[in-house]
Amino acid sequence: MTDHAPAVQPVVPTDDLAAAFQIEGWPVRGRLVRLGEVVDRILSAHDYPEPVAALLGEACVLAAIVGSALKFEGRLIVQAQGDGPVRYVVADYDTAGTLRGFCRFDPDEVAKASEGFARPGAQTLLGKGVFIMTIDRGEDFERTQGITPIEGESLSLCAEHYFTQSEQVPTKVRLAVGQATTEVGTAWRAGGAMIQVIAGDEARGSTEEVWERTRALFATLGDDELIDPTISPETLLFRLFHEDGVRLEGAQGLAAVCRCSKERIVAVMQSFPAEDRAEMIEEDGKIRATCEYCSTVYEIDPSEIEQPVA
């Protein structure tokens, strides 16, 4: 026996987290996201067709990957819009670790696009359009926004193109969304990872060879590994980079939280003309508004809207 018990190492949860990872001695930075209950709550709030739910799941993972790297309080919004069956997809990440998202789509057009054997991806669902990432630092700052064309059947390709074009940072992204059957039923799961190379300089020298090797190892990462609840984040990274050593850093828990409220909806309705508000009143004399993100239905008495804004 010894006089001192060994130090207890903090346990990193398997699900609903975002974390950075570092390959020992390599000029490469990485991030990993695993989503379980969080993505299931977001996707299950709506009766989305499977391809639409998968697209929104990708957007949520991507928002968490990029947003969790921000060094200030604010929001990272990932959105894509086009002329395809899915008109609009958005995922909203708050640096407090909360996520929300939703899609607008035409059910008939999505059904037609889904007639093949493979799940239709981003370009098939969104058509011609744009991929947008927006950073919102609050009312005291202007929003910053980057826009690129929609490319490829995964939002991962859109993100890679965005970082290459807007920030000149070579980037690789993997995103995976699927359903898993558990003892309590079927639930959505999602995961993703991103690697970026640090540019070479006089002290570091060229980083091209290391980047090529990192990309080759990263390409072996399977979708099933990203969403498998039995594979811990540490195990996943060890499988990829065990020869050189890799460590997980700064894991942050994530939660599905919508910022909607009755007060916000009333404030918005107070900005509408009186005749528009009158048309919203239903037969029982109430106005009902449904949050696009979480599907919560708010019942409002017209007299509440007539009250002046505080």
Side-chain angles (χ1 to χ4, degrees):
M1 295 181 62
T2 60
D3 294 332
H4 303 283
V8 177
Q9 297 298 319
V11 177
V12 177
T14 299
D15 282 339
D16 300 327
L17 68 88
F21 63 86
Q22 179 63 52
I23 308 168
E24 299 294 347
W26 288 21
V28 176
R29 53 177 176 249
R31 300 200 69 81
L32 177 70
V33 165
R34 303 289 294 278
L35 297 179
E37 182 183 352
V38 167
V39 76
D40 188 60
R41 285 188 61 184
I42 292 172
L43 301 186
S44 298
H46 301 266
D47 186 21
Y48 290 129
E50 194 268 349
V52 177
L55 181 66
L56 177 55
E58 285 191 5
C60 289
V61 175
L62 186 56
I65 288 176
V66 180
S68 61
L70 299 178
K71 304 300 183 184
F72 49 81
E73 293 184 1
R75 296 161 56 206
L76 187 285
I77 304 163
V78 170
Q79 64 192 83
Q81 56 196 56
D83 60 3
V86 175
R87 309 292 193 255
Y88 185 80
V89 57
V90 60
D92 184 333
Y93 173 88
D94 187 284
T95 51
T98 64
L99 271 170
R100 63 178 186 166
F102 76 93
C103 283
R104 291 177 187 158
F105 63 98
D106 183 297
D108 293 336
E109 292 183 22
V110 170
K112 185 176 181 180
S114 306
E115 291 176 351
F117 292 103
R119 173 200 288 171
Q123 198 159 50
T124 298
L125 292 174
L126 291 161
K128 294 181 179 179
V130 291
F131 171 82
I132 307 167
M133 282 209 282
T134 304
I135 295 175
D136 183 353
R137 299 182 65 177
E139 296 180 356
D140 296 332
F141 300 89
E142 288 189 11
R143 286 187 170 192
T144 57
Q145 193 172 77
I147 303 174
T148 58
I150 294 171
E151 295 188 354
E153 289 299 308
S154 171
L155 292 183
S156 60
L157 297 176
C158 296
E160 291 174 3
H161 184 65
Y162 167 87
F163 280 107
T164 300
Q165 178 176 299
S166 300
E167 302 189 16
Q168 289 78 53
V169 179
T171 302
K172 297 299 293 183
V173 178
R174 292 294 300 273
L175 304 172
V177 182
Q179 291 178 294
T181 301
T182 66
E183 295 179 354
V184 296
T186 301
W188 285 100
R189 297 188 55 78
M194 177 175 75
I195 54 172
Q196 295 178 312
V197 66
I198 300 172
D201 54 27
E202 291 185 4
R204 189 178 294 113
S206 173
T207 58
E208 288 187 13
E209 184 175 341
V210 172
W211 179 235
E212 286 293 328
R213 182 181 177 191
T214 308
R215 286 195 302 169
L217 293 172
F218 192 71
T220 66
L221 179 59
D223 288 358
D224 57 334
E225 295 176 293
L226 281 170
I227 64 176
D228 189 336
T230 67
I231 301 176
S232 71
E234 296 93 339
T235 299
L236 183 64
L237 294 174
F238 181 78
R239 288 181 176 182
L240 290 175
F241 306 113
H242 61 276
E243 290 186 3
D244 297 272
V246 60
R247 65 180 185 273
L248 206 64
E249 301 176 334
Q252 177 186 22
L254 303 176
V257 177
C258 188
R259 293 189 298 276
C260 69
S261 69
K262 185 175 182 179
E263 291 72 23
R264 288 190 177 190
I265 291 175
V266 168
V268 171
M269 288 185 174
Q270 286 174 332
S271 67
F272 295 166
E275 56 270 24
D276 290 349
R277 297 201 299 265
E279 292 179 359
M280 299 177 187
I281 300 174
E282 299 182 16
E283 292 182 0
D284 62 355
K286 302 292 186 180
I287 295 175
R288 290 177 178 81
T290 303
C291 176
E292 288 187 293
Y293 284 94
C294 66
S295 294
T296 298
V297 179
Y298 292 93
E299 185 177 283
I300 302 164
D301 191 285
S303 63
E304 297 177 79
I305 302 176
E306 298 303 327
Q307 297 173 6
V309 180

